[in-house]
Amino acid sequence: MTALPDGAATAPAARAPEAGAWSRRVPVVLPFDAASALATLVAHAVPGVDRVDRLDVDRGEVTRLVETCSGTAAVTVRLTPEEIEVRGSGSDPEEVCALVARWFDTEADLATVHAVLGADPLLAPLLARRPGLRVIGHPSGFEAAVTTVLGQQVSLAACRTFAGRLTAAYGRDADVVGSEGLRLFPDPDTLAGAQATDLQSAVGITGARTRTLLALAAAGVDGLTLGPGTAGDPAALADTRSRLLALPGVGPWTVDYLSVKVLGDRDGFVPGDLVLRKALGGIDARAAAATAQAWSPVRAYALFHLWTDTAY
């Protein structure tokens, strides 16, 4: 039997469909590397927000609450090398499926990825190993931004702990079938209204990190949106990056990471990332940025290949 990664649970027994439940299949360009997507989900799962169940080495499910324009849905996304299936209740199925498609990069331009990275001596072996690797995004831009701030200069395990505490203290319950045991991550209004001392105590973070979270929440209340549509508009992408960089405690690493993870920039790169620089032989950020020029316009895929091979 193949050992499962830490934090991954075995799949629960199947239950009868709830009243009002729906099921859809999301088209995905093949090949699709479900195993690597699941490894990424396990590494970043927030206690009380995400539940990741491994069925076997390359099949599994993630269950969580998501928010769309039509409301909140409890969804379970099953990932396999052949397809993506979404089961849910609440909200509009088509909106949820569109969110899932963005989350798992189902329409990736693999022809361009293979043409560019396949010609590179460093990336070609990684591409051959995982030809269907995707840039895994996030179903909530604000949640991704908060957890990225919480993850600055700490391990993924510490980040998950901080995010779990934040959810326990400020998360929201949802009256949706299938939401048992799960909560919605705190929204900008809730966090912006928190007292700094209470927030710092509840999460166990520094005063500086607390100020960053409050500033990020205030920016969200003030209209800062973090979504994948930004990448299609260079001016909007530049504006969003500028607004993020203006926040206290938000630097280039955080903004570069969010550009890839939630803004949908498929040519985005994070040259200051320590794991990336380790994968490139311990070079500095300037050298990493220079090396990555050869991987444009699909540098985000190169980034995920290097991350996956090194960390996941």
Side-chain angles (χ1 to χ4, degrees):
M1 176 180 289
T2 302
L4 299 181
D6 291 344
T10 55
R15 296 184 300 176
E18 302 278 2
W22 49 262
S23 176
R24 299 285 190 280
R25 280 181 169 77
V26 176
V28 57
V29 174
L30 298 178
F32 174 61
D33 190 345
S36 294
L38 287 162
T40 300
L41 293 174
V42 168
H44 293 272
V46 174
V49 175
D50 307 286
R51 185 169 62 244
V52 184
D53 301 307
R54 296 298 291 262
L55 306 178
D56 57 37
V57 69
D58 58 1
R59 287 171 169 78
E61 299 178 340
V62 55
T63 301
R64 61 169 289 142
L65 296 164
V66 300
E67 295 179 285
T68 70
C69 293
S70 61
T72 302
V75 301
T76 294
V77 182
R78 173 172 288 201
L79 306 175
T80 77
E82 296 81 26
E83 63 179 11
I84 295 178
E85 179 190 2
V86 185
R87 305 190 304 276
S89 58
S91 193
D92 177 71
E94 301 310 315
E95 287 186 10
V96 173
C97 288
L99 180 151
V100 169
R102 294 191 299 270
W103 184 3
F104 293 102
D105 191 22
T106 62
E107 298 179 0
D109 181 4
L110 293 183
T112 299
V113 172
H114 285 220
V116 175
L117 303 188
D120 185 271
L122 176 62
L123 273 297
L126 305 187
L127 183 69
R129 197 173 304 153
R130 302 180 182 91
L133 189 77
R134 295 302 206 274
V135 174
I136 305 302
H138 200 286
S140 167
F142 180 71
E143 180 182 332
V146 170
T147 54
T148 301
V149 168
L150 290 174
Q152 292 172 345
Q153 300 178 327
V154 300
S155 67
L156 278 173
C159 176
R160 292 194 300 270
T161 296
F162 291 147
R165 292 173 183 167
L166 182 67
T167 301
Y170 297 97
R172 298 161 290 149
D173 294 321
D175 186 19
V176 179
V177 173
S179 64
E180 295 81 3
L182 297 173
R183 307 188 82 196
L184 286 162
F185 197 81
D187 61 9
D189 289 301
T190 300
L191 278 191
Q195 295 296 314
T197 53
D198 294 340
L199 178 59
Q200 182 177 356
S201 176
V203 183
I205 52 178
T206 65
R209 195 63 43 84
T210 302
R211 287 190 291 274
T212 300
L213 290 187
L214 291 173
L216 180 61
V221 172
D222 196 39
L224 175 64
T225 57
L226 301 171
T230 306
D233 184 341
L237 179 60
D239 179 67
T240 300
R241 288 178 58 92
S242 178
R243 293 184 66 181
L244 285 168
L245 284 168
L247 299 177
V250 174
W253 176 86
T254 300
V255 176
D256 289 340
Y257 182 86
L258 291 175
S259 293
V260 172
K261 193 76 173 176
V262 299
L263 301 183
D265 186 0
R266 292 299 181 256
D267 199 31
F269 200 66
V270 192
D273 185 74
L274 291 176
V275 174
L276 168 74
R277 287 161 52 196
K278 177 183 177 182
L280 293 176
I283 62 179
D284 62 21
R286 180 175 295 182
T291 299
Q293 290 298 322
W295 306 327
S296 186
V298 290
R299 287 179 291 187
Y301 291 92
L303 178 68
F304 262 74
H305 272 285
L306 291 164
W307 272 343
T308 300
D309 191 68
T310 304
Y312 301 147

